[in-house]
Amino acid sequence: MASTKEIVSRMASKNKRVLIVDDVPRNIDLLKDILSEQYHVQVAKSGLLALNIIDRCLPDIILLDIMMPDMNGFEVCERLKSNPKTQDIPVIFLTAVTDPQHEQKGFDVGCVDFITKPITPLTTLARVSTHLKLAEENLRNKQIIDDRTRELDEALESAIGMLGAVSQLNDTDTGVHMWRMADYCAALARTIGWEESQVELLKLAAPMHDTGKVGIPHSILKSPNKLTDDEWVIMRQHTVIGHEILIRGEAPLFKLAAEVALGHHERWDGTGYPSGLIGENIPQSARIVALADVFDALTMKRPYKKSWTIEESFEHIQQAASTHFDPELVRTFLSIEDELRSIKEKWDAVD
């Protein structure tokens, strides 16, 4: 009599779907006889039919004959492994050929094992069971990695938010400004052709552009009067201070953030600070942040000013092309007005 543990195990395995792909009916019948007591078995007599079945209902494991007409097993496996939806399904090849080159080809296209014909019950059951367990373990590990990666991403975003907030303790900006401006930067960078990985880095780096303000005296940041020449000398040092803080980080994110912090007050015509860089000598990341930062500042309501309309802000930016801003970036920025409006509406609902 079977134990409770064995019964539970059988019930669990019965929920597992095994897809048998073979063009020879007697091979299908033999495998069904071996597997159907423990697993839910599906069959396909060609590679194309197998792909159609898989598209409708993902199996947990596939037993795949290599030598089939029209589309052989290697081709089917390559298709499966190139699709993110099916790439993790374990594939065991069924073959009567045992030479090393044949096996190497199978592993190269992504199979996990071979069952050599003539097929025997014990070998078949053992290998199916083993690879189902391995697949479950791999899935659990991937989920753990995904969860921890998400936690790290959330922690990093929180840390960036706190770092940005420190720079604004003596300022009137809000946290919403940081992330809204970052979204503007991402939209512009993506439109001019940046790779998505770099867009995401810029989106995280942009909120740290004013980190150096932490080193500027409260009396200057909160001065109700127009700054004196000496006070402006100090104020302009926030770009250098921010760079000195952020460049200590070894990660690409902080290298990019340091670049942005140092260069976001440079101007296209060379009249900016701290280095008076001209044109394309200013890092493109800093040129993007400069434009997005000004646009967001113009459209924000502050204690000392009302918010400008998007139309008024666009007009100002257009007039500052080739003096303050990169003219090509301005042209692109103005061309994505609908996206910018959507970003603003999203964050206005939060603010």
Side-chain angles (χ1 to χ4, degrees):
M1 183 175 177
S3 67
T4 303
K5 184 176 181 180
E6 287 172 334
I7 294 171
V8 170
S9 177
R10 286 178 187 174
M11 290 175 63
S13 66
K14 194 66 178 178
N15 292 325
K16 296 294 185 182
R17 294 179 178 272
V18 180
L19 175 61
I20 301 167
V21 188
D22 199 313
D23 63 320
V24 179
R26 65 176 179 274
N27 290 337
I28 291 176
D29 291 341
L30 175 58
L31 286 165
K32 283 181 66 177
D33 287 343
I34 294 171
L35 296 166
S36 58
E37 185 178 342
Q38 294 191 31
Y39 304 102
H40 178 79
V41 176
Q42 296 174 289
V43 300
K45 294 182 180 180
S46 72
L48 286 175
L49 181 57
L51 292 173
N52 288 334
I53 291 172
I54 293 165
D55 189 54
R56 295 195 304 270
C57 182
L58 293 179
D60 294 291
I61 193 167
I62 300 169
L63 304 187
L64 179 59
D65 187 31
I66 294 176
M67 305 306 294
M68 295 186 295
D70 299 326
M71 180 183 290
N72 66 42
F74 292 142
E75 293 170 319
V76 174
C77 192
E78 285 180 322
R79 290 271 292 272
L80 294 173
K81 297 306 172 180
S82 66
N83 184 346
K85 183 181 176 183
T86 57
Q87 64 184 4
D88 292 329
I89 301 173
V91 174
I92 298 177
F93 277 132
L94 306 170
T95 182
V97 182
T98 58
D99 67 90
Q101 289 183 336
H102 202 70
E103 288 188 356
Q104 186 61 56
K105 172 70 173 176
F107 288 122
D108 287 345
V109 298
C111 83
V112 295
D113 209 342
F114 287 84
I115 294 176
T116 304
K117 299 175 183 178
I119 295 165
T120 59
L122 287 177
T123 298
T124 302
L125 288 169
R127 292 188 179 172
V128 168
S129 175
T130 295
H131 288 292
L132 282 172
K133 290 175 182 176
L134 288 173
E136 285 186 347
E137 186 65 25
N138 287 338
L139 186 61
R140 281 194 293 270
N141 289 339
K142 285 186 70 173
Q143 188 61 54
I144 291 170
I145 292 170
D146 288 346
D147 289 345
R148 290 180 180 174
T149 299
R150 185 176 63 255
E151 290 170 2
L152 287 171
D153 287 343
E154 291 171 354
L156 178 59
E157 187 169 315
S158 296
I160 291 167
M162 288 185 282
L163 190 56
V166 167
S167 70
Q168 296 168 5
L169 288 176
N170 293 326
D171 209 342
T172 54
D173 290 343
T174 66
V176 169
H177 158 68
M178 291 191 307
W179 298 114
R180 182 173 52 219
M181 185 272 290
D183 275 352
Y184 293 147
C185 290
L188 180 53
R190 189 177 291 112
T191 304
I192 63 174
W194 278 35
E195 292 184 4
E196 192 59 32
S197 60
Q198 289 301 112
V199 170
E200 290 302 313
L201 275 186
L202 183 62
K203 191 174 177 179
L204 292 172
M208 294 184 275
H209 69 289
D210 273 339
T211 295
K213 283 185 176 179
V214 71
I216 304 303
H218 178 276
S219 59
I220 293 177
L221 284 175
K222 297 287 287 184
S223 175
N225 304 312
K226 184 178 179 180
L227 297 182
T228 66
D229 289 345
D230 288 342
E231 287 173 331
W232 263 118
V233 170
I234 297 171
M235 182 64 178
R236 287 170 179 159
Q237 284 301 301
H238 82 274
T239 55
V240 177
I241 295 169
H243 180 266
E244 289 176 349
I245 293 170
L246 295 166
I247 200 64
R248 298 177 187 180
E250 294 297 327
L253 168 62
F254 293 106
K255 300 297 184 187
L256 182 61
E259 179 179 86
V260 165
L262 186 63
H264 73 283
H265 279 296
E266 300 287 358
R267 296 170 62 103
W268 186 257
D269 63 4
T271 61
Y273 64 87
S275 302
L277 300 178
I278 298 175
E280 293 186 358
N281 291 323
I282 306 167
Q284 191 176 58
S285 60
R287 285 180 265 149
I288 290 171
V289 171
L291 178 51
D293 191 34
V294 168
F295 173 73
D296 193 51
L298 292 174
T299 56
M300 282 175 63
K301 183 179 180 180
R302 299 284 186 87
Y304 53 85
K305 79 169 187 69
K306 67 175 185 178
S307 62
W308 290 23
T309 66
I310 288 179
E311 290 76 16
E312 290 170 335
S313 302
F314 276 1
E315 183 179 353
H316 173 83
I317 287 170
Q318 180 68 72
Q319 292 174 352
S322 300
T323 53
H324 190 166
F325 305 119
D326 176 341
E328 188 59 28
L329 285 184
V330 168
R331 184 193 66 76
T332 304
F333 193 76
L334 299 182
S335 75
I336 58 171
E337 177 180 347
D338 289 346
E339 185 174 1
L340 299 176
R341 286 182 180 275
S342 295
I343 292 169
K344 187 175 187 306
E345 288 172 6
K346 178 187 77 173
W347 284 107
D348 284 354
V350 176
D351 201 354

